[in-house]
Amino acid sequence: MKAVPSRNVQQMPPYLFSNLNRKKETLKRQGVDMIDLGIGDPDLPTPPFIIDQLIKELNHPDNFKYSTFNGCPEFRHAVSEFYLKHFHVKIDKDKEVQTLIGSKEGIAHLVQAMIDPDDIVLIPDPSYPVYKMAVHLAGGKAYPVRLDPDNDFKPDLESIPHEILQKAKLAFLNYPSNPTGATVNIDFFEKAVAFFKKHGIYIAHDSAYNLVTFGNYQAPSILQVDGAKDIAVEFGSLSKAFNMTGWRIGYLVGNEEMIKTLLTVKSNLDSCQFLPIQKAAAIALKSDLSFLKERNAVYERRGQVMRQALRNIGIETNPLKGSIFLWAKVPGSMTSGAFCERLLEEAGVVVTPGTAFGKNGEGYFRVSLSVPDKRLEEAAKRIKQFL
Ligand SMILES: *Cc1c(COP(=O)(O)O)cnc(C)c1O
């Protein structure tokens, strides 16, 4: 019998770049030496002190039982301590923190917990595709909010039509941003909180890159804004912060009601993360964060090399302040898709077309800095020859 997918699954927006993927597969089979700058997954290892803690925790049989649904106290306490130390924000570890099996899981389930069919959710365009897909699967309507290149890829909130604001229930934000690498200061969050509060719209801020920042820049938390907890939650993740993508550990903090709503869904669908992983992640958040300095210096150096190489051939990119990506302008009049296909075919370099992140990504491509320095330098050379 043929399994018939649900209507929402059948009607999922198609992945636009199957062509590009097919080409990638063909070239791989032919043994072409491809450099993949499309990857959003750190190439550097998890720091040893976290792995050592995991091994210790694995020797306690009590850790093999189910976790409580909202996460173990050690991890929730570590998140709350991290917010106090790093952002000077008080978080109640019992009511305002939820352990997640990676923030992607939490994003999808929060949408399911809050959104009814035809509810509108405001989604930055371009952005991490999971927001839009989660809204679609929940039967909601994703309304793209254009990120303005002339305003450091911040949204022009005042330009959202009134009838959309009236119907919208939830808005996603993400800084430091994937894919644009844009960052904000606290004044942007102050404006956003005031604006969405006025319109009765909840905020979900995705801070996956909050600890991947360069130079003197420190990413603020939206919860630093007075009264933010009335309407906002913030997603955090160990994935990019501590090179732990495969571990699947993240958290949601902020508005108590939203956290409770998420727990209602999660306690019926999953049983939280393996305790040794939560406890090792707790040690990471409780650490002095000195690990970040050297790790972030690696991304910064790679970013500078790639930025300069692109600038030398007339391609401008975002300033280097946070995230693991450069957001670069497609040269000439090619579309993002065509440029990326040609770069792959003629130079063996994989980058992600901006339109993979929304229609406002047209005219851009995304370069990942999570590849070893030597390969990045080689890629820069090939891009130069290609042009
Ligand atoms: C990588 C990424 C995530 C996913 O993080 P996990 O915690 O590994 O699920 C979330 N948001 C953005 C913007 C990302 O780039």
Side-chain angles (χ1 to χ4, degrees):
M1 201 161 77
K2 194 166 177 287
V4 180
S6 71
R7 216 169 301 131
N8 282 343
V9 169
Q10 284 184 46
Q11 291 169 1
M12 269 174 92
Y15 183 64
L16 293 170
F17 301 100
S18 33
N19 242 354
L20 199 63
N21 271 345
R22 230 175 291 129
K23 276 199 182 130
K24 207 166 126 181
E25 286 307 312
T26 310
L27 292 175
K28 207 187 267 169
R29 250 180 284 120
Q30 294 170 349
V32 172
D33 174 34
M34 266 187 310
I35 305 178
D36 195 343
L37 308 182
I39 296 174
D41 195 345
D43 61 308
L44 300 165
T46 305
F49 75 94
I50 305 174
I51 298 170
D52 291 343
Q53 189 67 33
L54 176 70
I55 292 168
K56 268 190 215 150
E57 301 295 346
L58 283 170
N59 282 313
H60 294 294
D62 276 357
N63 282 340
F64 302 161
K65 297 185 153 92
Y66 284 125
S67 165
T68 46
F69 290 124
N70 62 341
C72 71
E74 290 87 345
F75 181 72
R76 284 182 285 109
H77 182 255
V79 172
S80 117
E81 208 175 82
F82 165 70
Y83 264 76
L84 192 60
K85 251 182 20 196
H86 196 73
F87 297 120
H88 309 290
V89 170
K90 275 200 191 128
I91 298 287
D92 182 328
K93 73 172 173 48
D94 295 318
K95 295 180 181 151
E96 297 175 333
V97 186
Q98 167 71 48
T99 298
L100 301 174
I101 310 172
S103 52
K104 187 177 187 179
E105 174 267 303
I107 290 164
H109 283 150
L110 181 70
V111 168
Q112 204 171 101
M114 292 186 65
I115 296 307
D116 284 313
D118 297 328
D119 278 350
I120 289 179
V121 182
L122 305 176
I123 307 285
D125 185 343
S127 68
Y128 184 56
V130 175
Y131 314 137
K132 185 164 70 185
M133 292 305 183
V135 172
H136 174 82
L137 286 173
K141 297 237 184 309
Y143 181 87
V145 177
R146 177 174 174 266
L147 300 183
D148 182 1
D150 297 326
N151 189 21
D152 302 325
F153 292 97
K154 290 192 280 259
D156 178 7
L157 299 175
E158 302 294 341
S159 74
I160 304 170
H162 193 71
E163 66 273 18
I164 297 294
L165 290 171
Q166 268 181 331
K167 283 194 225 151
K169 184 160 183 196
L170 179 66
F172 275 92
L173 295 172
N174 165 228
Y175 293 100
S177 149
N178 172 12
T180 70
T183 57
V184 294
N185 296 321
I186 193 71
D187 59 333
F188 169 75
F189 285 144
E190 277 162 3
K191 275 183 213 145
V193 167
F195 179 85
F196 289 120
K197 204 179 257 191
K198 185 171 79 188
H199 293 283
I201 298 169
Y202 292 97
I203 301 174
H205 177 238
D206 179 354
S207 71
Y209 297 93
N210 59 359
L211 295 179
V212 188
T213 56
F214 314 126
N216 295 327
Y217 178 73
Q218 272 213 10
S221 159
I222 198 168
L223 300 178
Q224 287 171 310
V225 176
D226 276 342
K229 273 190 210 166
D230 296 343
I231 58 160
V233 283
E234 189 157 74
F235 287 98
S237 172
L238 284 276
S239 288
K240 320 293 164 43
F242 295 95
N243 307 336
M244 290 170 67
T245 45
W247 292 57
R248 310 313 301 136
I249 181 81
Y251 52 84
L252 185 66
V253 290
N255 184 273
E256 187 182 332
E257 292 306 317
M258 291 167 82
I259 300 239
K260 214 192 277 172
T261 306
L262 174 63
L263 182 60
T264 306
V265 168
K266 275 180 65 66
S267 59
N268 283 291
L269 294 182
D270 68 56
S271 300
C272 206
Q273 182 50 283
F274 188 37
L275 286 166
I277 290 180
Q278 293 191 58
K279 291 181 183 178
I283 293 299
L285 289 174
K286 282 169 115 158
S287 71
D288 61 7
L289 304 182
S290 55
F291 153 79
L292 299 173
K293 199 168 168 211
E294 217 170 296
R295 195 280 314 274
N296 287 346
V298 172
Y299 286 135
E300 188 175 12
R301 188 178 66 237
R302 290 174 181 173
Q304 282 162 349
V305 167
M306 197 62 185
R307 245 186 131 217
Q308 193 54 49
L310 290 171
R311 179 173 291 157
N312 288 346
I313 52 177
I315 296 178
E316 282 304 316
T317 57
N318 57 298
L320 204 55
K321 288 174 97 177
S323 91
I324 58 172
F325 305 110
L326 292 182
W327 186 242
K329 269 216 147 106
V330 172
S333 58
M334 264 178 286
T335 65
S336 297
F339 174 79
C340 294
E341 276 185 41
R342 278 195 53 197
L343 191 63
L344 174 58
E345 279 177 342
E346 293 169 35
V349 175
V350 181
V351 296
T352 314
T355 37
F357 308 98
K359 71 176 192 314
N360 288 306
E362 185 53 89
Y364 293 89
F365 64 99
R366 191 190 75 173
V367 178
S368 169
L369 302 175
S370 64
V371 287
D373 296 34
K374 282 266 167 322
R375 294 297 277 167
L376 205 72
E377 284 163 23
E378 167 69 17
K381 256 190 232 146
R382 289 194 197 176
I383 295 174
K384 181 171 179 188
Q385 280 164 4
F386 162 73
L387 287 177

